[in-house]
């Protein structure tokens, strides 16, 4: 028993040693460095040959799809255009006989001018901007049925027809003014309406491609896609915006004149309102002045007026300006402050005073020539 076990262990060790030896020998034999040293010229020649073939034949079976694009595949030997499979962005391998056409699946924008006739029969031009993109999963179908210029063949004619139909329901004033937003909303709603069957919808691609399909067979036959009940929109319309509306020259001039007259009307209304408020202000001011005079007049006594006259005389005497003060009135106040005496003197001049017409007046028994300056000594000399 012991001898049999030991013999089996020895055989196992010998087999393991032999396998390791063979493995080490194989590794030594396949040593890359040693192989390169032994066959250096062959390795370099083969590498250059492979690189040359890649450069020469690479464009025949390698396709680089740009970012944001997909490729529609046309197989001349396998049924024509693939309406299901597409090439996604990146470097892809294709059969050399196949043809790939790139389609931009990013958001695109277009600016077009469409003609319309209003409810009154006036011709108008609408500058419209619309944003759209093609469904990536429907690129093959678009390529087979429409072509790369699908905007000119599909989107622009549909929007032009809807614009003419919607503008004819509104007057020129509504088109130019309050109905502008309503018109662009109606254009968008009708463009994406499934009942129109113009292959345009408002939602994103319902069946986005998950990977690059190059050699796959089509899941739907052309007969199935062409049946009457089969309808799949291929374009997503994001929005429709009216940028500008060009009216006929006469209509534009009439609208400008109307707006000018409305502004003048508003100006006159403002001016009338301002004058009315100014009249109310003056009336309130006059009432206040009248009430003030009534209150002040009841409190003006002769002693108060004399006291105010003395204060005015003191202020006049202490002033630094050159002046002529006529003294001699009642209570020794200046004549200009004796308003009652001056008024009486103007009404009843004395006999000794003979003023010339237009040259002077009799004030307080003195003749004062208002036509020439009077010196201080003349003011102090009493009259005869």
């Amino acid at each position: 028993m012991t001898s049999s076990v030991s013999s089996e262990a020895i055989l196992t060790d010998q087999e393991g040693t032999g396998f390791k030896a063979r493995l080490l020998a194989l590794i030594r034999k396949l040593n890359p460095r040693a192989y390169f040293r032994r066959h250096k010229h062959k390795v370099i020649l083969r590498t250059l040959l492979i690189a040359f073939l890649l450069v020469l034949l690479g464009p025949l079976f390698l396709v680089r799809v740009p970012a944001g694009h997909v490729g529609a595949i046309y197989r001349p030997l396998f049924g024509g255009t693939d309406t299901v499979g597409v090439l996604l962005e990146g470097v892809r391998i294709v059969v050399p006989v196949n043809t790939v056409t790139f389609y931009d699946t990013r958001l695109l924008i277009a600016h077009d001018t469409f003609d319309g006739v209003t409810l009154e029969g006036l011709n108008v031009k609408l500058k419209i901007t619309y944003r759209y993109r093609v469904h990536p999963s429907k690129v093959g179908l678009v390529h087979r049925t429409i072509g790369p210029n699908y905007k000119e063949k599909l989107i622009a004619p549909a929007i032009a027809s809807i614009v003419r139909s919607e503008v004819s329901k509104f007057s020129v004033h509504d088109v130019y003014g309050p109905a502008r937003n309503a018109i662009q909303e109606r254009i968008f709603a009708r463009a994406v309406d499934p009942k129109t069957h113009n292959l345009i919808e408002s939602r994103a691609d319902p069946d986005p491609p998950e990977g690059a399909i190059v050699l796959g067979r089509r899941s739907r036959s052309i007969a199935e896609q062409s049946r009457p009940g089969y309808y799949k929109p291929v374009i997503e319309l994001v929005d429709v915006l009216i940028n500008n509306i060009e009216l006929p020259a006469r209509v534009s001039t009439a609208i400008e004149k109307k707006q000018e007259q409305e502004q003048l009307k508003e100006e006159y209304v403002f001016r009338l309102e301002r004058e009315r408020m100014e009249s109310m202000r003056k009336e309130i001011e006059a009432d206040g002045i009248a009430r003030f005079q009534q209150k002040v007049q009841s409190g003006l006594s002769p002693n108060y007026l004399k006291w105010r006259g003395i204060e005015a005389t003191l202020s006049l005497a202490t002033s630094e300006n050159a002046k002529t003060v006529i003294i001699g009135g009642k209570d020794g106040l200046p004549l200009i402050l004796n308003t009652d005496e001056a008024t009486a003197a103007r009404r009843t001049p004395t006999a000794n005073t003979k003023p010339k017409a237009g040259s002077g007046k009799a004030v307080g028994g003195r003749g004062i020539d208002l036509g020439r300056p009077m010196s201080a000594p003349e003011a102090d000399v009493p009259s005869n």
Side-chain angles (χ1 to χ4, degrees), residues 44-58:
I44 294 176
L45 182 61
R46 292 172 183 175
T47 304
L48 293 176
L49 181 60
I50 293 173
F52 176 75
L53 292 177
L54 288 176
V55 172
L56 182 63
L57 302 178

Side-chain angles (χ1 to χ4, degrees), residues 32-48:
R33 294 181 179 178
Y35 182 82
F36 182 77
R37 285 195 298 268
R38 289 194 304 269
H39 307 283
K40 180 170 63 174
H41 298 287
K42 293 182 180 180
V43 171
I44 294 176
L45 182 61
R46 292 172 183 175
T47 304
L48 293 176

Side-chain angles (χ1 to χ4, degrees), residues 3 10 20 74 108 111 142 170 241 282 311 333 338 340 351 354:
S3 61
I10 292 171
K20 291 180 180 178
Y74 172 70
L108 303 177
H111 307 277
V142 171
F170 296 89
L241 304 174
K282 291 181 178 180
E311 287 185 346
L333 296 176
N338 297 321
D340 52 351
K354 296 180 180 180

Side-chain angles (χ1 to χ4, degrees), residues 81-278:
T81 303
D82 189 352
T83 58
V84 177
V86 294
L87 292 179
L88 298 183
E89 57 186 31
V91 178
R92 304 295 174 179
I93 301 176
V94 296
V95 178
V97 296
N98 293 345
T99 303
V100 179
T101 304
F102 300 127
Y103 282 78
D104 193 350
T105 58
R106 294 173 293 188
L107 185 65
L108 303 177
I109 187 170
H111 307 277
D112 290 329
T113 301
F114 301 100
D115 296 330
V117 181
T118 62
L119 190 62
E120 301 89 349
L122 296 175
N123 294 323
V124 295
K125 292 183 178 181
L126 285 78
K127 292 184 178 180
I128 294 180
T129 298
Y130 51 93
R131 293 180 289 184
Y132 64 95
R133 56 173 160 249
V134 64
H135 289 334
S137 63
K138 307 297 189 302
V139 165
L141 185 61
V142 171
H143 185 64
R144 184 174 66 85
T145 58
I146 303 174
N149 54 345
Y150 57 89
K151 182 184 82 72
E152 291 78 10
K153 293 182 178 180
L154 184 65
I155 306 177
I159 294 180
S161 176
I162 297 172
V163 166
R164 286 190 290 268
S165 176
E166 292 298 330
V167 170
S168 63
K169 301 177 183 178
F170 296 89
S171 63
V172 64
H173 180 268
D174 294 335
V175 172
Y176 191 79
R180 181 169 180 169
N181 293 332
I183 292 174
Q184 68 182 18
E185 291 176 0
R186 291 167 68 96
I187 293 173
F188 176 78
R190 287 190 56 184
V192 300
D193 189 1
K195 297 179 181 180
T196 57
H197 283 76
N198 53 15
L199 301 178
I200 301 174
E201 64 179 351
S202 61
R203 63 174 182 170
D205 190 359
D207 303 315
E210 297 180 356
I213 304 175
V214 180
L215 302 176
R217 303 296 295 175
R218 289 172 299 206
S219 61
R220 302 186 185 93
S221 63
I222 297 177
E224 181 184 359
Q225 294 177 359
S226 303
R227 72 177 187 269
Y230 183 82
Y231 174 72
K232 287 291 184 179
V234 297
I235 304 296
E236 176 192 359
L237 186 63
V238 178
D239 54 13
V240 176
L241 304 174
I242 299 177
N243 294 330
N244 189 23
I245 299 175
E246 294 183 4
L247 301 176
R250 292 180 299 174
V251 177
S252 300
T253 304
I255 292 176
E256 291 177 358
K257 290 183 179 180
K258 180 180 177 182
Q259 294 295 329
E260 182 180 355
Q261 295 300 323
E262 288 182 356
Q263 293 299 322
L264 290 176
K265 176 184 175 182
E266 295 295 330
E267 179 184 357
Y268 278 108
V269 170
F270 174 77
R271 291 171 61 181
L272 290 175
E273 182 67 18
R274 185 187 64 182
E275 295 298 334
R276 186 180 65 82
M277 297 181 68
E278 181 66 16

Side-chain angles (χ1 to χ4, degrees), residues 67-84:
H69 292 67
V70 296
I73 310 170
Y74 172 70
R75 298 189 180 96
L77 303 179
F78 300 98
T81 303
D82 189 352
T83 58
V84 177

